[in-house]
Amino acid sequence: MSITQFKNTATLQLDESSPVAVPLGEPVAIASITSVERDDGVETGVWECTPGRWRRQITAQEFCHFISGRCTFTPDDGGATLHIQGGDALMLPANTLGIWDIQETVRKTYVLIF
């Protein structure tokens, strides 16, 4: 197995950009990503998203560290809204669905475990 390194994650040029899958109103957030998916069901990368609201559809377990920006996440299970900013980290259990509201472009590193 090879080691994956992402250098200078705050300024790294990201490979792909597209609108989020399930936007909720305007503006439609644009997500950009550079990632590596391994054969063992793990994906890691750097992700950025512009302001907007959208539904989280990922059912994988996710750890993420926010490098910059400001947003909230409101889980569907009735839990409290999380207020997130650069420097924060989250561990989202598998099947955590809800609403992301990006107020200031967010950049994070992440690990998905499928």
Side-chain angles (χ1 to χ4, degrees):
M1 184 177 304
S2 63
I3 296 172
T4 300
Q5 181 180 23
F6 297 101
K7 294 185 71 86
N8 302 312
T9 57
T11 58
L12 178 69
Q13 183 71 27
L14 303 181
D15 293 336
E16 303 172 27
S17 294
S18 61
V20 293
V22 186
L24 300 171
E26 297 289 332
V28 173
I30 303 296
S32 302
I33 190 169
T34 292
S35 65
V36 173
E37 192 170 335
R38 300 186 330 200
D39 293 337
D40 62 357
V42 173
E43 178 184 321
T44 186
V46 180
W47 179 90
E48 183 174 273
C49 188
T50 62
R53 292 181 73 238
W54 51 279
R55 288 201 56 72
R56 181 177 197 268
Q57 301 289 295
I58 297 172
T59 58
Q61 180 173 261
E62 178 181 7
F63 172 80
C64 49
H65 177 260
F66 289 81
I67 299 164
S68 60
R70 190 170 47 85
C71 65
T72 61
F73 179 73
T74 305
D76 285 349
D77 70 3
T81 296
L82 303 171
H83 297 269
I84 304 156
Q85 62 185 14
D88 293 348
L90 294 178
M91 181 66 192
L92 298 163
N95 301 307
T96 301
L97 304 177
I99 305 295
W100 283 106
D101 186 354
I102 312 296
Q103 290 94 34
E104 178 183 303
T105 297
V106 165
R107 182 174 279 230
K108 69 179 183 179
T109 56
Y110 70 91
V111 177
L112 295 174
I113 303 166
F114 295 95

